[in-house]
Each structure stands twice: as C-alpha cells, then as structure tokens.
Amino acid sequence: MKASLHYFRWAFAFTAAGLILAYWLGVIYGGLAGGISFFLIAAVLAVLEISLSFDNAIVNANKLKQMTPVWQRRFLTWGIVIAVFGMRVAFPLLIVVVAAGIGPFEAIHLAAVRPDEYARIIGDAHLSIAAFGGSFLMMVALRYFIDEGKEVDWIRMLECQLRRCASVRGLEIALVLIVVMLCTLLLPDNREHEFLLASLAGLLTFLLVEVLGQVLDQKAAALTAAAKGGLGAFLYLEVLDASFSFDGVIGAFALTQNLFLIAIGLGIGAVYVRSMTIMLVERNTLAEFRYLEHGAFWSILVLSLIMFAQTMWHIPEMVTGLLGAGFIGLSLVSSVRHNRASRAEAQAEQSHP
C-alpha cells in the first residue's frame, strides 16, 4: 500500500510553486515586504480552504467509488482544473460581470487595478451566493439522511427518525423550503426577493442536476452496463464542489482583495482536497471508518445552516471550519471505537466457541 505522503506529492509541488508565485506577485505590488505579506496570506488561504473542504473530499470519495475508472480519472483531472480555475478565478469574475454589468476583460482589469471596488461588488453579491449554496448543500445532506436504503446510523436518535421518514416523498424539499421561508421572514424587505430567488435557484439546480444525471447515465447504461456513475455523477460533483467553494471564496476577501492571490491560495487548498480524495478512494478509508461519511454529511448540513445564517449575520470562517472539523473528528473517533469493539467481540467469540 502506498505511503500517505505519496498521495500528496503533487500537492507539495503545487504548494511550492504557488507560494513562490505569490511571493513574486507580492514583490511586484510592494517590494520585499509585499512579497512576504503575499507569501503568508497565500499560506493562510490554503489552510482555510483545506479546513473548509475536508468534508468535500469525503463526499467526493463516496461518489467516486460508484464511478467507473474512466470517469474517476476525468473528474480527478478535468474536475480539478474546473475547481481551481473555474471556481477560484472564473466564478468571482462572473459575479462582477453580472453585478456590475461590465465585460470579462473589464472585470479582470478591475481586479488588477481597483481590487477594493472588485471586493465590494463580490461582497454585495454575498446574500445571493449564501442563499444558493445553503439550499443546495442542505438538499445534499438531507438526501443522504432521508434514505430508506441507508443501513448504518451514527447519531442514531436523529438518523433513525430521518431514515424512517424516507417514505414521505419530497420531505427534504419541504424542509429546505421551510428554512427558506423562515429566513425570508427575518430578512429586510428590500432583500427578501433576492434571497428567495437565489434559494429557489439552488434547490432547482440540485433537482435538475439529479434529473439530468439520471437521464444521461441511463442512456449511457443502455449502451454499456459499465457506464454506471458517468457524466451525471461528474456534473453532480462539479456543482457540489462549487457550492463548497462559495464560503472559501467569499471568506478569502476578508484577507485580501487581490484576485490572483486568492486564486493561488485557494488553488493550493483545492489540490490538497484532490489528493485527500484519491487517498480515501484507493485506501477504501470510508469502509474502514464506518461513521466518517456520516460526519461529513452532518458537517454539510451545519454548513448549509451557517450559509443561511450568513445572509443575516457575519459568521467567521474559522467557526465554519472548526464545526466541520469537529463533526468529522467525532465521527472518526466513533469509527475507531466501533472497530476496537468489533475486534474485541470477535476475539471473545474465538476464545469461547
């Protein structure tokens, strides 16, 4: 079996190249002091992205193990390009293009010459981004827990009840709409329509991706039985990664308004997420630690609630990262305890046949 560090060799190389590039960029903007500042900010952004996206790696691994090797490779190559350059560069630019009504080249010029104005436009779009991501991620989490086929429960009191409710069709959609309605009532009158539209767009995107994925994969399966988990699963993972990236992209502007530095820092973090995903798939870690996946989806549910709350209050990204890491850490501890108990029980049965 490969050593753990082997999976991160490309991430280490990308980190070195990214930090050197960040330092060089800082020197251009502000000399030696600027270089050191940009170097440190890029490192902090990378750590921020890793802490916020570890649950993303677990969910990716869960979906990837259902995909064919061909589509696994495509996601881990094309998908990472889309994740690094699409979400960390193109997405913030697209927000500015739409919000400011300017062309993409003007947006790039604005990011390079007037970063404060660029950051302000991104900040003004925060409500819509949080509403979209909140509804999409809440659907992802609830669809996992409200499932009749789910056999293992971690937080049994809650997960058993949710699983028993799986026969109620559309329950997860109703729960998301209830949260959206409550948030809409709490928002100022001048922003409620913006929030409602973005929330419904997130919900609709989840449903459309699911429908499109099933249609595409069924058509592919008609051609070959090995097409399980193809283009539909790829699209699902891309939208999921985008939703996970929202809080990291927005939070990055609290540290710097420089688009290029944000892309470098978050890009480094995204490559580590890819490496973690590969390690989880190849080592079959999700099977070894039975509650780890549960911790990731509870983390997603909490993240969705935080994104909704962020439409009304400021919640530091550190809180989001700590809560997510907390659920994953507790699920890991529970998995280790379960494995120890199972081994002890097996040994006891062997000792007393």
Side-chain angles (χ1 to χ4, degrees):
M1 184 177 290
K2 297 177 183 177
S4 298
L5 291 178
H6 175 81
Y7 293 97
F8 294 94
R9 64 191 190 283
W10 287 109
F12 293 149
F14 194 88
T15 300
L19 292 177
I20 292 171
L21 183 59
Y23 176 81
W24 175 76
L25 189 66
V27 170
I28 293 175
Y29 277 94
L32 179 61
I36 295 173
S37 175
F38 272 43
F39 179 92
L40 293 175
I41 291 173
V44 172
L45 286 173
V47 173
L48 172 68
E49 179 70 4
I50 294 169
S51 65
L52 290 174
S53 300
F54 186 71
D55 46 2
N56 190 5
I58 296 173
V59 177
N60 285 349
N62 174 56
K63 195 70 175 178
L64 278 171
K65 69 183 182 183
Q66 304 169 15
M67 297 169 70
T68 62
V70 172
W71 279 102
Q72 286 182 1
R73 288 194 298 272
R74 287 173 179 172
F75 175 74
L76 293 171
T77 51
W78 303 347
I80 197 64
V81 172
I82 295 172
V84 174
F85 297 103
M87 278 307 300
R88 278 74 182 180
V89 179
F91 172 67
L93 284 173
L94 180 62
I95 292 175
V96 175
V97 167
V98 174
I102 59 178
F105 293 107
E106 292 177 86
I108 294 174
H109 183 264
L110 188 68
V113 179
R114 299 170 59 196
D116 292 341
E117 178 65 14
Y118 182 89
R120 185 194 65 77
I121 295 173
I122 293 288
D124 289 344
H126 178 256
L127 184 139
S128 296
I129 296 169
F132 181 96
S135 59
F136 185 90
L137 290 177
M138 186 171 287
M139 280 296 299
V140 169
L142 292 177
R143 184 59 61 89
Y144 174 79
F145 291 116
I146 305 176
D147 180 7
E148 288 180 314
K150 183 170 169 285
E151 298 177 350
V152 178
D153 296 319
W154 177 39
I155 306 178
R156 294 183 180 179
M157 183 176 66
L158 294 174
E159 293 185 26
C160 282
Q161 293 301 321
L162 289 171
R163 180 160 45 82
R164 288 170 184 167
C165 294
S167 58
V168 181
R169 295 188 62 182
L171 177 61
E172 59 270 32
I173 298 175
L175 292 174
V176 172
L177 289 176
I178 288 171
V179 174
V180 169
M181 289 175 63
L182 291 174
C183 291
T184 304
L185 292 174
L186 294 173
L187 281 168
D189 292 340
N190 62 330
R191 305 214 69 181
E192 58 184 10
H193 292 93
E194 179 186 351
F195 170 84
L196 190 58
L197 183 62
S199 298
L200 294 178
L203 178 60
L204 184 61
T205 299
F206 177 88
L207 297 175
L208 287 177
V209 169
E210 259 206 348
V211 171
L212 182 61
Q214 290 178 5
V215 171
L216 291 172
D217 290 343
Q218 284 173 2
K219 287 183 177 180
L223 299 175
T224 169
K228 179 183 178 184
L231 181 58
F234 180 88
L235 293 174
Y236 173 84
L237 285 175
E238 287 304 320
V239 178
L240 184 65
D241 179 76
S243 298
F244 272 109
S245 302
F246 288 154
D247 56 343
V249 172
I250 298 300
F253 281 94
L255 295 174
T256 177
Q257 284 79 44
N258 190 291
L259 172 69
F260 311 107
L261 181 57
I262 289 173
I264 292 170
L266 297 185
I268 292 173
V271 174
Y272 276 94
V273 171
R274 176 188 180 275
S275 299
M276 284 189 284
T277 300
I278 296 173
M279 185 177 70
L280 290 171
V281 172
E282 291 191 357
R283 289 193 165 191
N284 201 22
T285 305
L286 297 182
E288 183 180 352
F289 300 102
R290 60 186 278 148
Y291 300 127
L292 190 60
E293 189 178 346
H294 297 67
F297 278 97
W298 277 112
S299 175
I300 292 172
L301 185 59
V302 170
L303 174 59
S304 68
L305 292 171
I306 288 175
M307 293 188 83
F308 278 127
Q310 284 176 339
T311 62
M312 294 169 282
W313 308 288
H314 171 68
I315 299 176
E317 285 68 30
M318 183 64 69
V319 173
T320 306
L322 288 175
L323 284 173
F327 274 102
I328 292 171
L330 288 173
S331 66
L332 182 61
V333 171
S334 297
S335 299
V336 171
R337 288 179 176 174
H338 176 270
N339 292 342
R340 287 177 179 172
S342 298
R343 285 195 294 267
E345 185 178 343
Q347 290 174 356
E349 290 179 355
Q350 291 177 355
S351 302
H352 305 283

